[in-house]
């Protein structure tokens, strides 16, 4: 098994993580307006001190939402160099709590997807990987962003299911069941929570530095031993072209590795919804059916298996260290009911009602229905 890591350090030449800004309010000449102007004019990169000061004081309320919004747009238009992105990520990590799994008798691994319409992979992947002995999956997931539904929104369609556990309860659930899928606690990556809300309503979602820092700050604060990324491209995702997704994956891998996390990435096409279902409860239902039967839409099952295989490899659970063997192992636990058993355990441990899991036909139906008739159907090959 790979060694467990509980220390987090970003080394970009300035020891960015765990280093406090100089003085509570930084340099006497440092103001929100001056920092916004620096990024707007784009004559030089931000200093580490400027970024840390801006994020710290946004978290405390000194920097206002409208000032952060202006800065986010400037970043979206002018970008960031790698050092700026790493420093921004570390500042966001240090704005809240960093979890510690060192007492857990398991290797921890997590996965993150950049998302898209019908992306329901985590609902199967987390219980599938955690069904293997000695592996735990502590997963902090997000809500809907832009035109997509989030993993948290989907799970909360299960009556009683709680995703707002807080760090201590999150730790307890993972310790007892081997997995939990929660929304980031209010004390984790606090700056990102506030920035995320602003990005969603200011058309700054697709900025690569902001995507990188937002995703990686939560994952680094979550603090698993390793991380697998699924970076989407295509019409049903945020990133429409391959080059953009490759660049984002490189930035996230670099940030993860700088923080001491084994980080790998898949770049996957998403021109259409994954699987056959779209809609929060409908996607949960599709995943339940896959875990019960071990079968389902080819694209959904294959993505789950290959990403599970990579997570198992990073945990040292695949003797040959090959994706082929990892896929065989993952397929076995998907087919024999172990993944479904873990999913049920997670639902119970997070307060969900098992009746709608075991008998989904009893789940309340929508009050309103609209029927659409397709008059012309064109098939392209």
């Amino acid at each position: 098994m790979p060694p467990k890591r509980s220390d987090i350090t970003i080394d970009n030449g300035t020891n960015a993580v765990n280093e406090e800004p100089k003085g509570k309010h930084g340099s006497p000449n440092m103001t929100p307006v001056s920092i916004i102007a620096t990024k707007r004019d784009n004559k030089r990169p931000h200093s580490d001190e400027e970024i840390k000061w801006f994020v710290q004081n946004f978290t405390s309320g000194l920097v206002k939402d409208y000032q952060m919004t202006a800065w986010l747009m400037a970043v979206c238009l002018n970008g960031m160099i790698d050092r700026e992105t790493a420093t921004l990520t570390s500042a966001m990590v240090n704005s809240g709590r960093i979890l510690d799994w060192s007492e857990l008798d398991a290797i921890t691994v997590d996965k993150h997807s950049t998302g898209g319409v019908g992306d329901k992979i985590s609902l199967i992947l987390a219980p599938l990987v955690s069904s293997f002995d000695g592996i735990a999956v502590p997963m902090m997931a997000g809500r809907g962003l832009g035109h997509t539904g989030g993993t948290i929104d989907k799970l909360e369609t299960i009556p009683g299911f709680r995703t707002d556990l807080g760090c201590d309860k999150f730790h307890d659930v993972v310790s007892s069941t081997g997995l939990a899928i929660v929304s980031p606690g209010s004390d984790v990556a606090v700056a990102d929570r506030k920035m995320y809300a602003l990005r969603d309503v200011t058309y700054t979602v697709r900025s690569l530095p902001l995507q990188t820092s937002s995703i990686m700050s939560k994952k680094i604060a979550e603090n698993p031993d390793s991380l697998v990324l699924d970076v989407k491209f295509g019409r049903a995702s945020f990133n429409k072209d391959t080059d953009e997704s490759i660049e984002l994956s490189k930035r996230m891998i670099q940030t993860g590795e700088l923080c001491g996390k084994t980080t790998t990435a898949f770049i996957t096409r998403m021109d259409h919804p994954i699987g056959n279902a779209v809609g929060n409860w409908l996607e949960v239902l599709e995943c339940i059916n896959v875990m019960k039967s071990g079968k389902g839409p080819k694209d959904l099952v294959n993505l789950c298996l290959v990403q599970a295989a990579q997570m198992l490899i990073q945990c040292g659970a695949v003797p040959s260290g090959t994706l082929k063997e990892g896929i065989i192992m993952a397929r076995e636990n998907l087919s024999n009911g172990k993944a479904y058993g873990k999913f049920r355990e997670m639902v119970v441990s997070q307060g969900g009602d098992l009746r709608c899991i075991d008998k989904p036909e009893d789940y309340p139906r929508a009050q309103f229905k609209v029927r659409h008739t397709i008059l012309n159907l064109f098939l392209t090959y």
Side-chain angles (χ1 to χ4, degrees):
M1 283 188 173
K4 292 181 67 62
R5 298 186 179 99
S6 59
D7 57 316
I8 297 177
T9 304
I10 288 182
D11 181 9
N12 62 2
T14 60
N15 193 25
V17 164
N18 300 325
E19 179 183 310
E20 295 295 327
K22 298 177 181 178
K24 183 176 180 181
H25 299 298
S27 165
N29 297 323
M30 204 179 301
T31 67
V33 172
S34 69
I35 291 174
I36 294 167
T38 295
K39 182 50 64 179
R40 180 200 64 191
D41 297 341
N42 205 30
K43 293 179 179 178
R44 64 169 177 85
H46 280 307
S47 68
D48 294 336
E49 185 182 23
E50 285 175 331
I51 293 173
K52 288 184 283 186
W53 182 91
F54 196 65
V55 172
Q56 183 185 68
N57 286 289
F58 173 65
T59 305
S60 69
L62 179 66
V63 174
K64 305 303 181 185
D65 283 0
Y66 59 83
Q67 293 170 320
M68 176 56 78
T69 298
W71 183 81
L72 290 171
M73 185 57 71
V75 171
C76 188
L77 295 174
N78 293 322
M80 282 183 150
I81 64 172
D82 291 343
R83 177 186 56 75
E84 288 179 296
T85 303
T87 302
L88 175 60
T89 303
S90 69
M92 293 162 70
V93 171
N94 283 332
S95 70
R97 182 173 171 181
I98 300 172
L99 280 83
D100 181 9
W101 306 103
S102 58
E103 296 182 3
L104 196 65
D105 188 24
I107 298 296
T108 55
V109 62
D110 191 17
K111 163 262 183 185
H112 179 84
S113 171
T114 55
V117 179
D119 187 355
K120 55 188 76 76
I121 300 298
S122 295
L123 301 180
I124 299 172
L125 188 63
L128 174 57
V129 174
S130 65
S131 69
F132 288 84
D133 292 338
I135 299 176
V137 181
M139 182 178 288
M140 286 184 179
R143 295 192 179 276
L145 185 62
H147 61 281
T148 67
T151 299
I152 295 301
D153 302 309
K154 294 165 190 176
L155 286 170
E156 287 182 349
T157 63
I158 300 172
F161 193 98
R162 288 189 56 206
T163 61
D164 57 340
L165 299 184
C167 288
D168 293 333
K169 181 64 174 176
F170 178 37
H171 191 283
D172 291 344
V173 171
V174 173
S175 297
S176 62
T177 66
L179 84 155
I181 302 178
V182 302
S183 55
S186 59
D187 54 352
V188 173
V190 178
D192 177 66
R193 176 184 288 268
K194 297 177 68 177
M195 293 165 67
Y196 192 95
L198 295 176
R199 289 173 57 218
D200 193 24
V201 295
T202 57
Y203 205 66
T204 54
V205 168
R206 288 183 59 192
S207 165
L208 290 180
L210 297 179
Q211 279 184 282
T212 300
S213 58
S214 178
I215 293 167
M216 297 306 293
S217 64
K218 291 189 287 285
K219 293 303 178 183
I220 293 167
E222 179 192 288
N223 202 15
D225 294 312
S226 70
L227 180 63
V228 173
L229 304 169
D230 181 3
V231 184
K232 304 292 190 185
F233 73 95
R235 290 178 295 173
S237 70
F238 287 115
N239 301 321
K240 307 304 178 186
D241 62 81
T242 312
D243 291 341
E244 188 176 9
S245 293
I246 291 173
E247 181 61 28
L248 176 60
S249 66
K250 287 180 178 178
R251 289 178 182 233
M252 291 196 293
I253 289 172
Q254 180 186 54
T255 301
E257 294 289 341
L258 285 170
C259 292
K261 307 297 177 188
T262 299
T263 306
T264 56
F266 291 92
I267 300 173
T268 58
R269 178 183 293 276
M270 193 174 187
D271 287 325
H272 307 284
I274 298 172
N276 297 328
V278 175
N280 291 338
W281 166 249
L282 296 177
E283 293 180 43
V284 173
L285 177 59
E286 184 170 49
C287 291
I288 291 171
N289 290 335
V290 169
M291 287 184 284
K292 281 183 175 180
S293 66
K295 300 176 182 178
K298 187 175 180 180
D299 58 343
L300 174 59
V301 172
N302 286 349
L303 277 170
C304 288
L305 293 178
V306 73
Q307 291 178 25
Q310 182 60 39
M311 293 169 76
L312 293 174
I313 289 170
Q314 291 178 196
C315 291
V318 181
S320 67
T322 64
L323 274 176
K324 182 178 181 180
E325 184 179 5
I327 289 170
I328 293 172
M329 293 170 61
R331 190 184 299 276
E332 173 66 21
N333 275 23
L334 183 62
S335 301
N336 63 20
K338 288 185 177 181
Y340 180 58
K342 273 293 180 182
F343 182 78
R344 293 180 82 256
E345 284 184 44
M346 179 182 72
V347 171
V348 171
S349 66
Q350 294 187 232
D353 188 345
L354 276 180
R355 288 176 296 180
C356 72
I357 304 301
D358 295 333
K359 296 186 68 178
E361 63 272 14
D362 293 340
Y363 192 86
R365 293 294 184 262
Q367 288 183 306
F368 304 100
K369 296 182 180 180
V370 177
R371 182 182 298 274
H372 290 279
T373 302
I374 300 176
L375 299 179
N376 296 294
L377 180 63
F378 296 94
L379 300 178
T380 59
Y381 295 91

